[in-house]
Structures are given as structure tokens and as C-alpha cells.
Amino acid sequence: MKIDDTPSDKVIGTHSGSFQADEAMGVWMLRQIPDYRNSKVVRTRDLKVLDTLDIVIDVGGVYDHSKLRYDHHQRGYDERFDEGKEGTDGRCTKLSASGLVYRHYGKDIIRAYYPSLLEEHLDLSYNKIYNSLLE
């Protein structure tokens, strides 16, 4: 199967400054799905610039899926992937920016590469990838 490499006209925003694995992984994941395939990336901390971008990760102080804002640095932040692995009280790890991206777009990323995957296998893969790679 050949993935359509047509670049999206949407723009992904993340912070300027030092490169970190968190935003790099989040940007990479977003660029795997058609809506953000090969999207331009703007690196800034300027809130006025961030407000003009289609989706923003790891900067801006806001987590709001309806606004496509995925930051984890704000006070009171306590997002977790789910209620926990079977047989536990819950996950102890708070989601990073890439974890937030995966929570909302992980299944779309997997579908981009395996479009005929059965739903039950998609759910299994989604959780296995999170448990093995992201947590």
C-alpha cells in the first residue's frame, strides 16, 4: 500500500527553543494522518502566532481537544490515557503532549498504515502501542 504523500495545507505549531522528544514524536504522529500529512511546522512561543495555527502541541498552556490544543504544562493538569491497565487502580503517568496526540489520533495513525485492520485488532494495537512505546 502506498501512503498519499500530498502535503496538507494545515499548519502544526509547537514551541521554539530546545528540541525535545515529546513534541518531535507528537509532530511526527500528526504528520502520519491525512489531515496533517507533511504539514508545515511553526516553532514559536508567541501566543498570537499560535492562535493562527491549525493545531498546537506542547506549548500554549491549554489542553482542549475541541480547539486542537494539546499542551500539558498548565497548573492542575491531570490527564491520563485511561483508567488503568487491567488489574491496577489506574495509570500513574500523566500524558505528555505526544500522549495527548496519541490519545486522540492514535487510531487514525494506525488506520493510515493498516486501513483494513478489524476494529478489535485496531483497539488491541492502539493499547499495545501505547503500553509499549508511549507510557
Side-chain angles (χ1 to χ4, degrees):
M1 176 189 84
K2 173 87 168 108
I3 300 269
D4 180 4
D5 282 337
T6 306
S8 168
D9 60 354
K10 294 186 178 178
V11 181
I12 301 169
T14 191
H15 60 78
S16 56
S18 298
F19 156 84
Q20 297 171 331
D22 185 25
E23 91 272 358
M25 176 76 137
V27 167
W28 181 87
M29 287 191 291
L30 286 171
R31 293 178 87 196
Q32 303 314 298
I33 58 176
D35 281 351
Y36 302 101
R37 172 89 56 217
N38 296 323
S39 287
K40 178 181 173 184
V41 177
V42 172
R43 294 177 63 87
T44 184
R45 294 181 188 274
D46 184 329
L47 295 178
K48 289 180 182 173
V49 173
L50 292 171
D51 284 344
T52 68
L53 305 178
D54 296 294
I55 189 167
V56 175
I57 66 168
D58 206 29
V59 67
V62 175
Y63 165 53
D64 185 339
H65 179 56
S66 69
K67 294 180 179 177
L68 304 180
R69 299 301 185 253
Y70 303 95
D71 195 10
H72 64 111
H73 295 103
Q74 58 276 23
R75 201 168 279 176
Y77 176 85
D78 194 34
E79 293 296 319
R80 308 194 187 240
F81 185 68
D82 59 20
E83 294 76 42
K85 297 175 185 170
E86 192 173 321
T88 69
D89 292 332
R91 296 183 189 258
C92 61
T93 307
K94 293 180 186 178
L95 290 174
S96 64
S98 60
L100 290 170
V101 168
Y102 188 78
R103 177 202 271 172
H104 293 286
Y105 301 97
K107 289 183 180 181
D108 296 331
I109 296 163
I110 296 166
R111 276 193 200 108
Y113 287 92
Y114 302 98
S116 61
L117 196 62
L118 298 174
E119 191 67 29
E120 65 191 71
H121 295 147
L122 177 63
D123 290 341
L124 178 66
S125 299
Y126 172 73
N127 286 302
K128 182 68 173 172
I129 290 168
Y130 179 80
N131 292 336
S132 300
L133 180 64
L134 290 159
E135 184 168 54

